[in-house]
Amino acid sequence: MGIKKINILYISTSTTGGGGVARILSQKTASFVQQGHQVRIISTNDNSEHPFYTFDSQMQWYFYTQPIRTLMQMKRYYAFVQQQGIEAFQPDVIFVLDNGIKGYFASFFLKTTIPIYFEVHGSRNFLLSPIVSKWKRYLVNRLTLWLSKRFTGLIVLNESSKQDWKHSNLSVIPNWIELDKSTPSQQESSKQQIIAIGRLVPEKNYETLLAIWKRLEVIYPDWRLVICGTGAPSYTAQLQSIAGDSVIWKGEVTDVNREIQTSAFMLHTSKMEGMPMAFLEAMALGVPVVAFDVDYGPSDLIDDGVNGYLVPLGDQQKMVDNCLMLMQQPNLCNQLGTQAKIDMKQYDKSRVLQQWIQFFESLP
């Protein structure tokens, strides 16, 4: 019996940028189209209709460019989704990848019996932590939890992130890595580069990363730190003003594997995570990761001292010590990287794609 062919609607945001969610979405939708499914994306907050990553040419795009700042504007937006996404496309399943407040309201404004799943790509702290007012944070927390229960189900990236939610239908489907497209990292003792990958936003904690780097470069002045990612010009300029000449800012990089392969290891100081694509990509290439042990994701991928290092959040000294060990002992770096590559096989595209096939088969 062949694969069940269905229509898949994605409701997303910032889809054409260079972030990790856009990257995995480009890969997933391409695979779904190749299986014979029809896929449509309705996206907001895109500054360009030309995606940074390559999407399948048969994938259908709809961009909503109007502002969505008030409840009335949100209602108009979901009326557009109702018309172009549901009535015109007739999907068999709807996935909401917008983890901002307006994404939660899909469960309230969309009138349909079609299954709607909230696909979670990060910690709820991404939404709640920027809210200064404790009362407002409480209200947003209660409102979004209530709205999340209205979805048919939630799809999270790992077991640990389940604790963020109170829903009777929680599925775990991780991000994947295309191992067949990953070239093994060259095991060279002469690598003198550390890489950091991620959006230039406050929650990624680049100030701490640069503070750690300043302590490392004093000891190893011949090493370089490469940062791949973009953010608001004002915040980017602020970071660059506190970084020295030994920091190389690459911006958005199409061939991120090349940058990873020329690095000894990856340094990651984010305060919160989901399941970082950068970790998967680096570890699959045999490049270990040194990261803070935060909710959620790093501990699902990194086995401390075995395939990388997990450091208690905020412990800069421990982070420096672990980085120095890898800089001083290239054989240890290679050993951790080799194990990381072995451990990432469980996230190979062929395995995770089978989970999606089973998910689609289970739909009514």
Side-chain angles (χ1 to χ4, degrees):
M1 186 172 65
I3 296 175
K4 178 182 179 181
K5 305 298 191 298
I6 61 174
N7 288 355
I8 304 169
L9 174 65
Y10 280 97
I11 301 172
S12 191
T13 186
S14 303
T15 308
T16 61
V21 176
R23 183 175 177 82
I24 189 63
L25 181 61
S26 70
Q27 296 176 10
K28 286 199 303 188
T29 53
S31 294
F32 297 161
V33 169
Q34 289 165 14
Q35 290 179 336
H37 304 307
Q38 296 291 318
V39 181
R40 179 173 294 191
I41 295 178
I42 295 179
S43 185
T44 60
N45 298 327
D46 280 304
N47 297 322
S48 169
E49 294 187 3
H50 303 285
F52 182 78
Y53 297 112
T54 301
F55 283 77
D56 191 282
S57 60
Q58 296 181 58
M59 222 276 308
Q60 303 173 26
W61 288 97
Y62 281 80
F63 296 98
Y64 188 84
T65 58
Q66 300 302 311
I68 312 173
R69 300 187 185 94
T70 67
L71 199 62
M72 185 58 66
Q73 290 173 338
M74 192 184 300
K75 186 176 181 180
R76 285 197 290 266
Y77 162 60
Y78 278 111
F80 175 86
V81 175
Q82 186 83 33
Q83 180 182 14
Q84 298 297 335
I86 296 177
E87 295 172 8
F89 185 55
Q90 294 292 304
D92 296 288
V93 64
I94 300 170
F95 295 115
V96 177
L97 268 67
D98 184 347
N99 288 183
I101 290 178
K102 73 177 185 297
Y104 289 81
F105 275 92
S107 67
F108 181 80
F109 282 115
L110 295 181
K111 308 304 178 185
T112 181
T113 57
I114 298 166
I116 307 178
Y117 289 85
F118 193 65
E119 193 171 323
V120 183
H121 280 263
S123 167
R124 277 175 52 77
N125 283 330
F126 276 118
L127 177 69
L128 300 174
S129 62
I131 303 174
V132 177
S133 167
K134 291 183 179 179
W135 177 241
K136 185 177 180 181
R137 190 184 308 127
Y138 172 81
L139 287 177
V140 171
N141 182 47
R142 300 297 297 178
L143 174 63
T144 52
L145 278 177
W146 175 72
L147 289 169
S148 70
K149 292 178 182 179
R150 295 173 58 92
F151 287 96
T152 307
L154 275 63
I155 300 174
V156 298
L157 297 175
N158 43 60
E159 289 289 338
S160 58
S161 65
K162 281 184 174 182
Q163 61 189 286
D164 256 353
W165 308 96
K166 298 176 181 178
H167 199 288
S168 59
N169 185 14
L170 279 166
S171 302
V172 178
I173 305 181
N175 288 335
W176 71 48
I177 184 72
E178 297 187 88
L179 293 177
D180 57 333
K181 293 185 178 180
S182 299
T183 305
S185 180
Q186 302 168 356
Q187 301 299 313
E188 299 174 0
S189 60
S190 59
K191 290 181 181 179
Q192 294 184 318
Q193 174 175 301
I194 300 172
I195 191 167
I197 300 176
R199 293 174 297 121
L200 303 184
V201 291
E203 57 263 28
K204 295 295 185 181
N205 202 16
Y206 279 99
E207 291 86 351
T208 296
L209 185 144
L210 293 172
I212 291 168
W213 171 247
K214 284 184 179 295
R215 296 174 63 180
L216 297 174
E217 69 170 340
V218 169
I219 303 172
Y220 287 98
D222 293 334
W223 280 63
R224 295 292 178 265
L225 171 65
V226 169
I227 297 178
C228 301
T230 60
S234 58
Y235 184 65
T236 301
Q238 177 185 330
L239 292 176
Q240 291 176 340
S241 70
I242 61 177
D245 294 336
S246 59
V247 179
I248 302 170
W249 304 84
K250 290 280 188 174
E252 290 183 333
V253 178
T254 304
D255 189 0
V256 70
N257 282 2
R258 176 185 291 274
E259 296 299 332
I260 292 172
Q261 287 178 287
T262 56
S263 304
F265 60 93
M266 176 177 287
L267 180 58
H268 198 78
T269 54
S270 181
K271 298 176 183 178
M272 58 194 81
E273 275 301 341
M275 185 181 188
M277 284 296 296
F279 285 26
L280 285 171
E281 290 162 341
M283 296 172 75
L285 289 166
V287 175
V289 179
V290 182
F292 283 137
D293 187 10
V294 297
D295 297 336
Y296 301 99
S299 62
D300 290 87
L301 300 175
I302 300 174
D303 188 356
D304 185 45
V306 177
N307 63 12
Y309 289 113
L310 284 174
V311 178
L313 179 61
D315 192 340
Q316 292 190 32
Q317 185 59 54
K318 185 67 177 293
M319 186 75 86
V320 169
D321 292 343
N322 285 338
C323 289
L324 286 175
M325 278 196 295
L326 296 180
M327 297 167 85
Q328 294 165 354
Q329 304 177 57
N331 288 338
L332 172 62
C333 196
N334 291 341
Q335 176 185 326
L336 296 183
T338 298
Q339 186 60 47
K341 186 177 179 182
I342 294 172
D343 293 341
M344 290 307 100
K345 289 182 179 179
Q346 63 181 302
Y347 301 106
D348 181 32
K349 172 184 173 180
S350 61
R351 296 188 181 187
V352 180
L353 184 57
Q354 189 59 42
Q355 291 181 250
W356 280 109
I357 292 173
Q358 293 171 356
F359 178 88
F360 294 147
E361 291 292 339
S362 70
L363 293 173

